[in-house]
Amino acid sequence: MREWQVKRRERTRQLIELGGLVVKAGLVELADDDRATLYGAFLTVAAKLRGEERDQALLLWKRKGKRAFEAESSS
């Protein structure tokens, strides 16, 4: 397989996994599947990560995410 094909498959897999997280978090239903709303929310998160509260936000979100994954795997 050519290098560009491998990279393309890796990127496709990453995009599918990220989309799965959006669905898993319930954001699709909560935003009525409105892409503009979801994009606006993501831009808000990105702005927060560019600000002074970056480290605190990352720590908080990472903890919440880990707990959610652990709770899901133990069910």
Side-chain angles (χ1 to χ4, degrees), residues 58-71:
L58 284 173
L59 183 63
L60 173 67
W61 296 337
K62 188 172 192 171
R63 284 182 185 161
K64 283 184 176 185
K66 281 184 175 184
R67 283 190 212 121
F69 279 134
E70 289 169 2

Side-chain angles (χ1 to χ4, degrees), residues 38-56:
L38 291 171
Y39 187 44
F42 295 143
L43 291 173
T44 301
V45 170
K48 185 164 194 136
L49 292 176
R50 287 187 198 99
E52 295 177 11
E53 299 176 14
R54 173 189 169 80
D55 293 335
Q56 295 165 325

Side-chain angles (χ1 to χ4, degrees), residues 15-56:
L15 293 174
I16 290 168
E17 289 173 350
L18 292 171
L21 290 173
V22 172
V23 172
K24 184 178 271 198
L27 294 173
V28 175
E29 293 81 21
L30 291 170
D32 291 329
D33 199 13
D34 183 344
R35 268 81 168 172
T37 300
L38 291 171
Y39 187 44
F42 295 143
L43 291 173
T44 301
V45 170
K48 185 164 194 136
L49 292 176
R50 287 187 198 99
E52 295 177 11
E53 299 176 14
R54 173 189 169 80
D55 293 335
Q56 295 165 325

